[in-house]
Amino acid sequence: MLKIGLTGGIGSGKSFVADLLQKHGAAIVDTDVVAHQLTAPGGAAIPAIRQQFGSAYITAEGAMDRARMRELVFQQPDQREKLQAILHPLIRDFTFRKVQQAQGCYVVVVVPLLVESGTWRQYVDRVCVVDCDEPTQIERVMQRSGLTASQVQRIMEAQASRQQRLAHADDVIVNDGTTSIEQLNVQVQQMHAKWCE
C-alpha cells in the first residue's frame, strides 16, 4: 500500500486534511494519537517516563503531566532529547503495527515532526506538506488552545521552518489564511486522485 507522510507546522490544519482524506477512503495513522495513547494512564511509555523524570511528571490518574512536561522540555533541550529517546521508538513501533493493519486505498501517516526527526522519510513513499503562513498558524493555535502568541512562537521555533518543510515535500496542500474550505477540498480531491493512480 502507498504510504504518504503528512506533515505541517502546528496550526497548519494537518488533522483537518487527514479527516478529508479519510472521507475519500484513505487509512489514517496519526502519530499524535499514538503518542497520547502511550502517555495516557496505563500507556506503554509511563514506566520509563516515571523512571527518567520522577513521579512529579505523572498525574494522579497515571498519565504523563503534559503541561508540566511541556514547560520542562522547552526550558531544557537536553530533557526534550531524553523524552524523545523514550517516546520516538515506541511511537514508531506502534505506528508501524497500525500501518501494517491499515485498510484503505492508501495509508496516510500523520507525523507533525516528520522533517525534524530525520528518520521518517525512509518509511514513507511520499511526503505531503500542509503549508500555512506563520501569522495564520499563530492565530489558529491561540484560538484552539488558549496559549499566548509568544508560547505558540516558542513551539514553532522548536519545529522545522516553513522553508525546511517545503524542501522535503513531494506534494503540497496549501491551507493558509486565504484558503477557503472549497479550495482545500479541491486540493485534497486532486491529491487523492493522484495518489490512487
Side-chain angles (χ1 to χ4, degrees):
M1 209 188 320
L2 182 70
K3 291 190 280 296
I4 307 294
L6 186 71
T7 194
I10 189 170
S12 61
K14 293 178 295 296
S15 301
F16 189 66
V17 168
D19 290 345
L20 293 175
L21 288 165
Q22 192 169 29
K23 286 179 186 151
H24 284 290
I28 307 294
V29 180
D30 190 329
T31 58
D32 261 359
V33 173
V34 171
H36 274 277
Q37 290 167 346
L38 291 169
T39 56
I46 295 299
I49 292 170
R50 180 178 274 117
Q51 192 180 352
Q52 177 67 57
F53 297 97
S55 294
Y57 289 89
I58 307 296
T59 66
E61 296 75 41
M64 180 179 80
D65 188 331
R66 299 183 80 82
R68 194 164 195 174
M69 189 63 82
R70 187 184 298 126
E71 272 309 302
L72 177 72
V73 300
F74 275 119
Q75 286 164 7
Q76 301 177 38
D78 61 315
Q79 297 296 329
R80 182 187 323 155
E81 284 167 24
K82 286 175 185 171
L83 180 63
Q84 288 173 344
I86 292 168
L87 289 179
H88 286 184
L90 286 170
I91 291 169
R92 228 178 355 258
D93 291 349
F94 274 69
T95 300
F96 289 155
R97 253 179 271 167
K98 286 178 181 270
V99 166
Q100 281 162 348
Q101 296 158 359
Q103 306 273 303
C105 35
Y106 50 85
V107 62
V108 175
V109 187
V110 186
V111 188
L113 303 179
L114 186 144
V115 172
E116 295 84 338
S117 75
T119 54
W120 278 100
R121 186 66 183 100
Q122 64 200 8
Y123 302 120
V124 294
D125 302 305
R126 298 183 72 78
V127 171
C128 179
V129 170
V130 180
D131 184 44
C132 182
D133 60 289
E134 293 183 359
T136 302
Q137 281 179 265
I138 292 169
E139 197 179 310
R140 283 177 186 160
V141 178
M142 283 169 64
Q143 277 176 357
R144 76 169 185 221
S145 65
L147 296 172
T148 64
S150 65
Q151 286 173 313
V152 179
Q153 198 83 50
R154 264 176 40 207
I155 293 169
M156 287 168 63
E157 281 163 13
Q159 296 185 341
S161 70
R162 189 178 179 185
Q163 289 69 29
Q164 286 169 320
R165 266 192 297 273
L166 289 171
H168 285 81
D170 298 302
D171 303 298
V172 177
I173 291 175
V174 177
N175 185 29
D176 59 20
T178 63
T179 309
S180 69
I181 293 288
E182 289 75 21
Q183 289 168 326
L184 188 61
N185 269 315
V186 168
Q187 291 182 79
V188 167
Q189 229 156 353
Q190 289 169 341
M191 211 56 83
H192 168 72
K194 176 180 173 178
W195 293 337
C196 283
E197 279 169 26

